[in-house]
Amino acid sequence: MSDEMSSRSSTSPNEDLPMEGHTAHHVVSDDFEDIDLEECVPDEAELPDVDSDLAKTRLARLVAMIERMEPTRPEIMRAVPLHRVLACVGKVFWTAEGDFFQLSKETTSYDEFLSHSWQVESWKKVLLLMILKNGFPASVIGTSGALLMVVLWQFGFLPGFVKLEFQFSFWCSVVGMTLGLSTLIFWRSHRLVFVDRMCINQFDGRMKAEGIMNIGAMLKASKSLLVVWDESYADRLWCIFELAAFLKAHPEVSSGKSRILQVKPLMLGFTVCNLCVCVFLAGTFGVLNPAEDLMVIWSLLLLFMLFEGLSLSHTVRGYYRSLEASNRKLQQFELRHSFCWCCSVNHLNPASGQPIQVCDREIVRQCVTSWFGSEQEFDHSVRSVVAHALKQQLGCDAFPYTWMLGSTTPLLWPLFDFVASYQGAEKMRYLAPSWAIRILAYWLWGIPFPATVGLFAARCLREKGQSRFRDFLKTLLVIIIAAPCGLVVIGWQIYIELNFFDELQSGHETWASLLFVGGCAVMFWAARKAYHLSNQRFFKSLTLATS
């Protein structure tokens, strides 16, 4: 269960989950369906003695049942295939209507438990999940389709357009993007996951109560926990409860040797998508650029990339700001400061005016104390374990090199059009092998080199400007700092082309391309080393949880 789920009686899809659901099946009131998501009991001191005794009895019984982490009955354990979670572009996250419980099925274990806050924008959450779960197959299938077009182009099956006095292909770009985007949206992963709104009945009060009460059992049966980390996560009481239950059920996580706890920043998905779109558009512009003069081609391409860079720089700065804010929340985390819905309404149901009978905070506090010995010990465990998970999964630059390669994979598709076109034109065929080599060089080192410098600049200039104009200047300054590195790579390629690429000296271009590869690799290695050292020196306050 996340901190909230939609309810039939809710006025908003983002209302907190009815916590009355944590009470045992036989003590759930008949009017439970009228209670909103994180509803529970008022403080016992506010009730008559008889009600106080009843509340204490209910609380003790409820805590005892949750602590055991055993299902009340096998049928209550339900999971949903991942592809149904992401169906219709993650409809379950952004629509207030619909009964999604029918899409789930009984299970004895979960491949993954999704822990998230309903307080964040749903589109960012969907984008992150699509990138995490469907991004790799989308890259593989898109690239495979683009390579197939290279082969088909050689047989003359596909039409093209005239550029540089010979037929030029655009099929790698079109097919690669079509297949990649389709796979990203429609890939059918059958991994069984837990998503609160789909695995707990929202339209039957008693089943909802029993389902929420079994959250601990579901976490115990989960092979991994995916935390969608954002600024609000540490403030949500029931998000923290999910994390506590998982740490209790899987003590190997606390040792730091297990990767079954996955913590992913919310903004990571949007940042990756922005980079994918930018590099693909840059490559496509290079393919469709009608200019024939080398200098004109590169001048237009650089101008186009400047506008793209502004968008990308703005996004990355926002990404680092969100990481810094989340890190501050993590370092200051204390269970007693987490938001509790029933406490916020003084333990009175706003809809009915009736007292809420069991306080969420007291349930969580007693469970955590039982599992970890004390609230303070749990606070320390959360801060250290989540920080270690972020450090382990994001690396010292908060944007790993492997993620950079995945994000720039769409650049390969339009570049394959150059290889196909050169290979298909007899007078240009000698360039095909060298282009294939340079494509790999750009993907592995040529693009990551200026990107690494840009990441560092964006991190240094992450703070929002006091006005829109000043913020724009900061974004532009990131481009100005990173641009020379990109110009060095491009200048290196132009130098190689002007001095070694000659139709009359066929054979030299392959060796020249290998020289280009070596230069890019050295530049990237030097930039990466300097970046790691700089991060460790200038961002010690951030690296604890985000590096």
Side-chain angles (χ1 to χ4, degrees), residues 490-539:
I490 293 172
W492 180 236
Q493 174 175 327
I494 293 175
Y495 173 81
I496 295 293
E497 289 183 352
L498 293 178
N499 288 274
F500 296 96
F501 282 34
D502 190 335
E503 186 177 0
L504 299 178
Q505 296 178 328
S506 181
H508 291 183
E509 58 278 346
T510 301
W511 290 105
S513 293
L514 293 176
L515 182 62
F516 174 75
V517 169
C520 289
V522 170
M523 287 185 283
F524 170 72
W525 179 83
R528 204 70 179 176
K529 278 289 185 182
Y531 184 34
H532 289 175
L533 293 174
S534 299
N535 269 317
Q536 294 171 5
R537 179 174 180 179
F538 296 110
F539 296 112

Tab-separated table of all heavy atoms in Angstrom, residues 490-539:
chain	number	residue	atom	x	y	z
A	490	ILE	N	33.637	17.527	-32.319
A	490	ILE	CA	33.270	17.799	-33.707
A	490	ILE	C	34.485	18.277	-34.503
A	490	ILE	O	34.706	17.866	-35.652
A	490	ILE	CB	32.141	18.847	-33.753
A	490	ILE	CG1	30.865	18.253	-33.145
A	490	ILE	CG2	31.882	19.298	-35.184
A	490	ILE	CD1	29.745	19.249	-32.971
A	491	GLY	N	35.273	19.154	-33.889
A	491	GLY	CA	36.482	19.619	-34.574
A	491	GLY	C	37.446	18.474	-34.859
A	491	GLY	O	38.091	18.436	-35.914
A	492	TRP	N	37.539	17.552	-33.921
A	492	TRP	CA	38.391	16.378	-34.105
A	492	TRP	C	37.903	15.548	-35.294
A	492	TRP	O	38.697	15.085	-36.110
A	492	TRP	CB	38.394	15.564	-32.827
A	492	TRP	CG	39.209	14.303	-32.818
A	492	TRP	CD1	38.766	13.050	-32.539
A	492	TRP	CD2	40.609	14.166	-33.076
A	492	TRP	NE1	39.778	12.135	-32.601
A	492	TRP	CE2	40.937	12.803	-32.941
A	492	TRP	CE3	41.620	15.063	-33.421
A	492	TRP	CZ2	42.224	12.315	-33.130
A	492	TRP	CZ3	42.908	14.576	-33.607
A	492	TRP	CH2	43.198	13.225	-33.459
A	493	GLN	N	36.578	15.395	-35.426
A	493	GLN	CA	36.045	14.636	-36.564
A	493	GLN	C	36.304	15.372	-37.876
A	493	GLN	O	36.690	14.750	-38.874
A	493	GLN	CB	34.544	14.411	-36.403
A	493	GLN	CG	33.937	13.744	-37.648
A	493	GLN	CD	32.488	13.393	-37.491
A	493	GLN	OE1	32.055	13.068	-36.402
A	493	GLN	NE2	31.742	13.444	-38.579
A	494	ILE	N	36.065	16.689	-37.893
A	494	ILE	CA	36.287	17.456	-39.125
A	494	ILE	C	37.759	17.390	-39.540
A	494	ILE	O	38.085	17.239	-40.727
A	494	ILE	CB	35.840	18.920	-38.926
A	494	ILE	CG1	34.309	18.976	-38.746
A	494	ILE	CG2	36.263	19.774	-40.113
A	494	ILE	CD1	33.786	20.365	-38.431
A	495	TYR	N	38.652	17.480	-38.575
A	495	TYR	CA	40.077	17.371	-38.874
A	495	TYR	C	40.410	16.019	-39.501
A	495	TYR	O	41.151	15.937	-40.488
A	495	TYR	CB	40.886	17.578	-37.593
A	495	TYR	CG	42.362	17.324	-37.766
A	495	TYR	CD1	43.192	18.307	-38.317
A	495	TYR	CD2	42.927	16.105	-37.394
A	495	TYR	CE1	44.552	18.077	-38.486
A	495	TYR	CE2	44.279	15.866	-37.552
A	495	TYR	CZ	45.092	16.846	-38.108
A	495	TYR	OH	46.427	16.607	-38.284
A	496	ILE	N	39.843	14.966	-38.925
A	496	ILE	CA	40.065	13.625	-39.468
A	496	ILE	C	39.542	13.530	-40.891
A	496	ILE	O	40.213	12.992	-41.788
A	496	ILE	CB	39.386	12.564	-38.568
A	496	ILE	CG1	40.038	12.517	-37.183
A	496	ILE	CG2	39.413	11.191	-39.232
A	496	ILE	CD1	41.448	12.009	-37.167
A	497	GLU	N	38.336	14.067	-41.136
A	497	GLU	CA	37.734	13.973	-42.462
A	497	GLU	C	38.541	14.755	-43.499
A	497	GLU	O	38.751	14.276	-44.615
A	497	GLU	CB	36.294	14.488	-42.413
A	497	GLU	CG	35.332	13.567	-41.683
A	497	GLU	CD	33.904	14.081	-41.731
A	497	GLU	OE1	33.703	15.232	-42.209
A	497	GLU	OE2	32.998	13.352	-41.296
A	498	LEU	N	38.972	15.942	-43.145
A	498	LEU	CA	39.697	16.781	-44.105
A	498	LEU	C	41.080	16.241	-44.423
A	498	LEU	O	41.605	16.467	-45.529
A	498	LEU	CB	39.813	18.209	-43.555
A	498	LEU	CG	38.502	18.997	-43.430
A	498	LEU	CD1	38.762	20.366	-42.820
A	498	LEU	CD2	37.825	19.137	-44.790
A	499	ASN	N	41.672	15.529	-43.499
A	499	ASN	CA	43.050	15.097	-43.700
A	499	ASN	C	43.204	13.631	-44.107
A	499	ASN	O	44.256	13.262	-44.647
A	499	ASN	CB	43.856	15.334	-42.421
A	499	ASN	CG	44.128	16.801	-42.171
A	499	ASN	OD1	45.101	17.370	-42.677
A	499	ASN	ND2	43.260	17.443	-41.393
A	500	PHE	N	42.199	12.807	-43.845
A	500	PHE	CA	42.362	11.379	-44.109
A	500	PHE	C	41.311	10.784	-45.037
A	500	PHE	O	41.539	9.722	-45.613
A	500	PHE	CB	42.344	10.598	-42.786
A	500	PHE	CG	43.485	10.926	-41.880
A	500	PHE	CD1	43.333	11.865	-40.870
A	500	PHE	CD2	44.723	10.318	-42.034
A	500	PHE	CE1	44.385	12.179	-40.029
A	500	PHE	CE2	45.774	10.625	-41.190
A	500	PHE	CZ	45.618	11.564	-40.181
A	501	PHE	N	40.161	11.473	-45.174
A	501	PHE	CA	39.085	10.891	-45.973
A	501	PHE	C	39.214	11.373	-47.412
A	501	PHE	O	38.846	12.490	-47.741
A	501	PHE	CB	37.725	11.280	-45.410
A	501	PHE	CG	37.337	10.489	-44.191
A	501	PHE	CD1	38.294	10.082	-43.274
A	501	PHE	CD2	36.039	10.128	-43.971
A	501	PHE	CE1	37.957	9.353	-42.165
A	501	PHE	CE2	35.678	9.390	-42.849
A	501	PHE	CZ	36.639	8.999	-41.946
A	502	ASP	N	39.726	10.527	-48.242
A	502	ASP	CA	39.922	10.854	-49.645
A	502	ASP	C	39.579	9.618	-50.467
A	502	ASP	O	40.112	8.545	-50.242
A	502	ASP	CB	41.378	11.268	-49.905
A	502	ASP	CG	41.566	11.847	-51.303
A	502	ASP	OD1	40.765	11.507	-52.187
A	502	ASP	OD2	42.507	12.631	-51.486
A	503	GLU	N	38.675	9.797	-51.431
A	503	GLU	CA	38.239	8.664	-52.252
A	503	GLU	C	39.414	8.023	-52.973
A	503	GLU	O	39.426	6.825	-53.247
A	503	GLU	CB	37.188	9.138	-53.250
A	503	GLU	CG	36.562	8.003	-54.055
A	503	GLU	CD	35.477	8.493	-54.988
A	503	GLU	OE1	35.213	9.711	-55.011
A	503	GLU	OE2	34.895	7.656	-55.696
A	504	LEU	N	40.422	8.838	-53.286
A	504	LEU	CA	41.572	8.303	-54.006
A	504	LEU	C	42.516	7.548	-53.095
A	504	LEU	O	43.420	6.853	-53.564
A	504	LEU	CB	42.329	9.461	-54.692
A	504	LEU	CG	41.520	10.257	-55.725
A	504	LEU	CD1	42.370	11.399	-56.278
A	504	LEU	CD2	41.031	9.347	-56.851
A	505	GLN	N	42.315	7.705	-51.770
A	505	GLN	CA	43.175	7.018	-50.817
A	505	GLN	C	42.350	6.066	-49.955
A	505	GLN	O	42.437	6.067	-48.744
A	505	GLN	CB	43.897	8.037	-49.919
A	505	GLN	CG	44.837	8.946	-50.695
A	505	GLN	CD	45.498	9.970	-49.797
A	505	GLN	OE1	44.924	10.420	-48.829
A	505	GLN	NE2	46.736	10.324	-50.125
A	506	SER	N	41.500	5.308	-50.618
A	506	SER	CA	40.621	4.395	-49.908
A	506	SER	C	41.431	3.436	-49.049
A	506	SER	O	42.405	2.849	-49.500
A	506	SER	CB	39.782	3.604	-50.922
A	506	SER	OG	38.910	2.729	-50.266
A	507	GLY	N	41.015	3.271	-47.834
A	507	GLY	CA	41.724	2.422	-46.881
A	507	GLY	C	42.246	3.219	-45.713
A	507	GLY	O	42.287	2.724	-44.584
A	508	HIS	N	42.622	4.488	-45.954
A	508	HIS	CA	43.124	5.331	-44.882
A	508	HIS	C	42.026	5.739	-43.910
A	508	HIS	O	42.298	5.986	-42.736
A	508	HIS	CB	43.777	6.593	-45.460
A	508	HIS	CG	45.055	6.296	-46.193
A	508	HIS	ND1	45.831	7.297	-46.733
A	508	HIS	CD2	45.691	5.123	-46.462
A	508	HIS	CE1	46.895	6.755	-47.314
A	508	HIS	NE2	46.813	5.432	-47.164
A	509	GLU	N	40.768	5.834	-44.443
A	509	GLU	CA	39.688	6.337	-43.604
A	509	GLU	C	39.366	5.410	-42.427
A	509	GLU	O	38.951	5.869	-41.366
A	509	GLU	CB	38.414	6.584	-44.432
A	509	GLU	CG	37.895	5.364	-45.166
A	509	GLU	CD	38.640	5.128	-46.468
A	509	GLU	OE1	39.358	6.031	-46.921
A	509	GLU	OE2	38.507	4.027	-47.000
A	510	THR	N	39.575	4.120	-42.592
A	510	THR	CA	39.308	3.195	-41.489
A	510	THR	C	40.292	3.419	-40.355
A	510	THR	O	39.917	3.486	-39.175
A	510	THR	CB	39.380	1.735	-41.971
A	510	THR	OG1	38.416	1.534	-43.000
A	510	THR	CG2	39.114	0.778	-40.820
A	511	TRP	N	41.570	3.556	-40.714
A	511	TRP	CA	42.579	3.829	-39.690
A	511	TRP	C	42.348	5.192	-39.058
A	511	TRP	O	42.541	5.374	-37.844
A	511	TRP	CB	43.978	3.768	-40.307
A	511	TRP	CG	44.385	2.377	-40.685
A	511	TRP	CD1	44.448	1.834	-41.929
A	511	TRP	CD2	44.768	1.344	-39.776
A	511	TRP	NE1	44.836	0.522	-41.876
A	511	TRP	CE2	45.049	0.201	-40.559
A	511	TRP	CE3	44.898	1.260	-38.390
A	511	TRP	CZ2	45.455	-1.007	-39.999
A	511	TRP	CZ3	45.302	0.065	-37.836
A	511	TRP	CH2	45.570	-1.051	-38.629
A	512	ALA	N	41.891	6.155	-39.879
A	512	ALA	CA	41.611	7.483	-39.347
A	512	ALA	C	40.454	7.445	-38.355
A	512	ALA	O	40.465	8.132	-37.331
A	512	ALA	CB	41.292	8.446	-40.492
A	513	SER	N	39.454	6.611	-38.645
A	513	SER	CA	38.317	6.474	-37.734
A	513	SER	C	38.744	5.858	-36.414
A	513	SER	O	38.240	6.235	-35.348
A	513	SER	CB	37.214	5.623	-38.379
A	513	SER	OG	36.660	6.292	-39.485
A	514	LEU	N	39.660	4.912	-36.474
A	514	LEU	CA	40.188	4.335	-35.236
A	514	LEU	C	40.946	5.383	-34.430
A	514	LEU	O	40.905	5.380	-33.194
A	514	LEU	CB	41.089	3.148	-35.561
A	514	LEU	CG	40.387	1.920	-36.159
A	514	LEU	CD1	41.410	0.852	-36.532
A	514	LEU	CD2	39.371	1.359	-35.169
A	515	LEU	N	41.632	6.284	-35.137
A	515	LEU	CA	42.299	7.397	-34.460
A	515	LEU	C	41.275	8.301	-33.788
A	515	LEU	O	41.477	8.769	-32.658
A	515	LEU	CB	43.126	8.195	-35.473
A	515	LEU	CG	43.939	9.382	-34.933
A	515	LEU	CD1	44.979	8.912	-33.925
A	515	LEU	CD2	44.610	10.126	-36.088
A	516	PHE	N	40.143	8.525	-34.473
A	516	PHE	CA	39.059	9.323	-33.904
A	516	PHE	C	38.508	8.652	-32.644
A	516	PHE	O	38.242	9.307	-31.630
A	516	PHE	CB	37.949	9.487	-34.945
A	516	PHE	CG	36.717	10.172	-34.428
A	516	PHE	CD1	36.697	11.542	-34.214
A	516	PHE	CD2	35.568	9.442	-34.142
A	516	PHE	CE1	35.558	12.178	-33.724
A	516	PHE	CE2	34.425	10.064	-33.658
A	516	PHE	CZ	34.426	11.434	-33.453
A	517	VAL	N	38.355	7.329	-32.693
A	517	VAL	CA	37.870	6.569	-31.542
A	517	VAL	C	38.799	6.755	-30.348
A	517	VAL	O	38.368	7.023	-29.222
A	517	VAL	CB	37.740	5.072	-31.890
A	517	VAL	CG1	37.503	4.240	-30.625
A	517	VAL	CG2	36.619	4.853	-32.879
A	518	GLY	N	40.089	6.608	-30.586
A	518	GLY	CA	41.064	6.756	-29.511
A	518	GLY	C	41.018	8.128	-28.882
A	518	GLY	O	41.076	8.269	-27.651
A	519	GLY	N	40.911	9.169	-29.718
A	519	GLY	CA	40.841	10.528	-29.191
A	519	GLY	C	39.616	10.747	-28.325
A	519	GLY	O	39.691	11.343	-27.241
A	520	CYS	N	38.453	10.250	-28.782
A	520	CYS	CA	37.214	10.396	-28.007
A	520	CYS	C	37.303	9.661	-26.679
A	520	CYS	O	36.853	10.157	-25.640
A	520	CYS	CB	36.024	9.869	-28.820
A	520	CYS	SG	35.562	10.906	-30.223
A	521	ALA	N	37.884	8.455	-26.714
A	521	ALA	CA	38.000	7.657	-25.493
A	521	ALA	C	38.883	8.357	-24.463
A	521	ALA	O	38.555	8.385	-23.264
A	521	ALA	CB	38.551	6.274	-25.816
A	522	VAL	N	39.988	8.928	-24.910
A	522	VAL	CA	40.898	9.617	-23.992
A	522	VAL	C	40.228	10.857	-23.391
A	522	VAL	O	40.314	11.105	-22.184
A	522	VAL	CB	42.197	10.011	-24.728
A	522	VAL	CG1	43.040	10.943	-23.859
A	522	VAL	CG2	42.997	8.768	-25.097
A	523	MET	N	39.544	11.622	-24.230
A	523	MET	CA	38.862	12.827	-23.742
A	523	MET	C	37.789	12.467	-22.717
A	523	MET	O	37.655	13.122	-21.676
A	523	MET	CB	38.245	13.591	-24.921
A	523	MET	CG	39.265	14.319	-25.788
A	523	MET	SD	38.510	15.340	-27.083
A	523	MET	CE	38.057	14.069	-28.276
A	524	PHE	N	37.026	11.415	-23.018
A	524	PHE	CA	35.971	11.014	-22.090
A	524	PHE	C	36.564	10.515	-20.776
A	524	PHE	O	36.079	10.860	-19.700
A	524	PHE	CB	35.105	9.920	-22.720
A	524	PHE	CG	34.144	9.293	-21.754
A	524	PHE	CD1	33.037	9.979	-21.307
A	524	PHE	CD2	34.362	8.009	-21.273
A	524	PHE	CE1	32.152	9.413	-20.397
A	524	PHE	CE2	33.485	7.424	-20.364
A	524	PHE	CZ	32.376	8.137	-19.927
A	525	TRP	N	37.595	9.697	-20.862
A	525	TRP	CA	38.213	9.155	-19.644
A	525	TRP	C	38.728	10.280	-18.751
A	525	TRP	O	38.517	10.260	-17.533
A	525	TRP	CB	39.353	8.214	-20.018
A	525	TRP	CG	40.060	7.633	-18.836
A	525	TRP	CD1	39.702	6.552	-18.094
A	525	TRP	CD2	41.262	8.137	-18.234
A	525	TRP	NE1	40.598	6.341	-17.070
A	525	TRP	CE2	41.563	7.293	-17.137
A	525	TRP	CE3	42.113	9.203	-18.524
A	525	TRP	CZ2	42.686	7.508	-16.344
A	525	TRP	CZ3	43.229	9.414	-17.721
A	525	TRP	CH2	43.501	8.557	-16.638
A	526	ALA	N	39.390	11.267	-19.350
A	526	ALA	CA	39.921	12.382	-18.574
A	526	ALA	C	38.795	13.194	-17.933
A	526	ALA	O	38.871	13.573	-16.757
A	526	ALA	CB	40.776	13.275	-19.474
A	527	ALA	N	37.723	13.448	-18.701
A	527	ALA	CA	36.599	14.223	-18.171
A	527	ALA	C	35.901	13.472	-17.046
A	527	ALA	O	35.523	14.066	-16.027
A	527	ALA	CB	35.604	14.535	-19.287
A	528	ARG	N	35.757	12.167	-17.207
A	528	ARG	CA	35.062	11.375	-16.187
A	528	ARG	C	35.858	11.334	-14.880
A	528	ARG	O	35.296	11.442	-13.791
A	528	ARG	CB	34.859	9.951	-16.724
A	528	ARG	CG	33.712	9.197	-16.092
A	528	ARG	CD	32.394	9.761	-16.517
A	528	ARG	NE	31.279	9.021	-15.930
A	528	ARG	CZ	30.019	9.356	-16.086
A	528	ARG	NH1	29.696	10.419	-16.799
A	528	ARG	NH2	29.056	8.654	-15.529
A	529	LYS	N	37.175	11.170	-15.002
A	529	LYS	CA	38.020	11.164	-13.810
A	529	LYS	C	37.933	12.506	-13.081
A	529	LYS	O	37.777	12.559	-11.852
A	529	LYS	CB	39.476	10.886	-14.210
A	529	LYS	CG	39.811	9.430	-14.419
A	529	LYS	CD	39.838	8.695	-13.088
A	529	LYS	CE	40.296	7.264	-13.248
A	529	LYS	NZ	40.281	6.530	-11.951
A	530	ALA	N	38.039	13.584	-13.855
A	530	ALA	CA	37.972	14.917	-13.241
A	530	ALA	C	36.610	15.145	-12.603
A	530	ALA	O	36.497	15.747	-11.527
A	530	ALA	CB	38.248	15.978	-14.306
A	531	TYR	N	35.558	14.641	-13.246
A	531	TYR	CA	34.210	14.824	-12.733
A	531	TYR	C	34.007	14.083	-11.413
A	531	TYR	O	33.436	14.621	-10.455
A	531	TYR	CB	33.213	14.347	-13.779
A	531	TYR	CG	31.764	14.557	-13.406
A	531	TYR	CD1	31.374	15.666	-12.661
A	531	TYR	CD2	30.794	13.668	-13.807
A	531	TYR	CE1	30.054	15.875	-12.331
A	531	TYR	CE2	29.459	13.868	-13.485
A	531	TYR	CZ	29.107	14.970	-12.743
A	531	TYR	OH	27.803	15.175	-12.410
A	532	HIS	N	34.469	12.857	-11.346
A	532	HIS	CA	34.334	12.091	-10.109
A	532	HIS	C	35.059	12.772	-8.953
A	532	HIS	O	34.530	12.891	-7.847
A	532	HIS	CB	34.874	10.674	-10.312
A	532	HIS	CG	34.004	9.834	-11.189
A	532	HIS	ND1	34.343	8.560	-11.579
A	532	HIS	CD2	32.798	10.083	-11.759
A	532	HIS	CE1	33.377	8.066	-12.348
A	532	HIS	NE2	32.441	8.975	-12.463
A	533	LEU	N	36.275	13.234	-9.220
A	533	LEU	CA	37.042	13.910	-8.183
A	533	LEU	C	36.365	15.213	-7.752
A	533	LEU	O	36.316	15.549	-6.569
A	533	LEU	CB	38.462	14.183	-8.676
A	533	LEU	CG	39.343	12.951	-8.905
A	533	LEU	CD1	40.679	13.362	-9.536
A	533	LEU	CD2	39.588	12.204	-7.591
A	534	SER	N	35.836	15.945	-8.723
A	534	SER	CA	35.169	17.215	-8.417
A	534	SER	C	33.903	16.992	-7.602
A	534	SER	O	33.605	17.751	-6.675
A	534	SER	CB	34.834	17.955	-9.721
A	534	SER	OG	36.007	18.250	-10.446
A	535	ASN	N	33.145	15.955	-7.965
A	535	ASN	CA	31.927	15.656	-7.213
A	535	ASN	C	32.249	15.340	-5.755
A	535	ASN	O	31.572	15.792	-4.831
A	535	ASN	CB	31.194	14.470	-7.843
A	535	ASN	CG	30.179	14.913	-8.889
A	535	ASN	OD1	29.449	15.866	-8.675
A	535	ASN	ND2	30.162	14.247	-10.019
A	536	GLN	N	33.271	14.536	-5.551
A	536	GLN	CA	33.643	14.146	-4.197
A	536	GLN	C	34.149	15.336	-3.387
A	536	GLN	O	33.976	15.387	-2.173
A	536	GLN	CB	34.704	13.052	-4.249
A	536	GLN	CG	34.185	11.743	-4.836
A	536	GLN	CD	35.292	10.749	-5.088
A	536	GLN	OE1	36.450	10.993	-4.745
A	536	GLN	NE2	34.959	9.628	-5.708
A	537	ARG	N	34.740	16.295	-4.069
A	537	ARG	CA	35.307	17.440	-3.356
A	537	ARG	C	34.269	18.530	-3.089
A	537	ARG	O	34.228	19.103	-1.995
A	537	ARG	CB	36.457	18.037	-4.171
A	537	ARG	CG	37.092	19.243	-3.505
A	537	ARG	CD	38.313	19.726	-4.262
A	537	ARG	NE	38.924	20.882	-3.619
A	537	ARG	CZ	40.008	21.502	-4.052
A	537	ARG	NH1	40.619	21.050	-5.155
A	537	ARG	NH2	40.494	22.530	-3.415
A	538	PHE	N	33.415	18.806	-4.093
A	538	PHE	CA	32.514	19.948	-3.981
A	538	PHE	C	31.105	19.587	-3.532
A	538	PHE	O	30.334	20.464	-3.159
A	538	PHE	CB	32.414	20.679	-5.326
A	538	PHE	CG	33.724	21.291	-5.760
A	538	PHE	CD1	34.420	20.777	-6.843
A	538	PHE	CD2	34.261	22.370	-5.076
A	538	PHE	CE1	35.613	21.329	-7.253
A	538	PHE	CE2	35.459	22.926	-5.482
A	538	PHE	CZ	36.145	22.409	-6.571
A	539	PHE	N	30.752	18.306	-3.568
A	539	PHE	CA	29.379	17.945	-3.235
A	539	PHE	C	29.334	16.900	-2.136
A	539	PHE	O	28.580	15.936	-2.190
A	539	PHE	CB	28.637	17.428	-4.476
A	539	PHE	CG	28.495	18.457	-5.544
A	539	PHE	CD1	29.183	18.324	-6.744
A	539	PHE	CD2	27.692	19.566	-5.353
A	539	PHE	CE1	29.065	19.274	-7.731
A	539	PHE	CE2	27.566	20.521	-6.342
A	539	PHE	CZ	28.249	20.383	-7.534
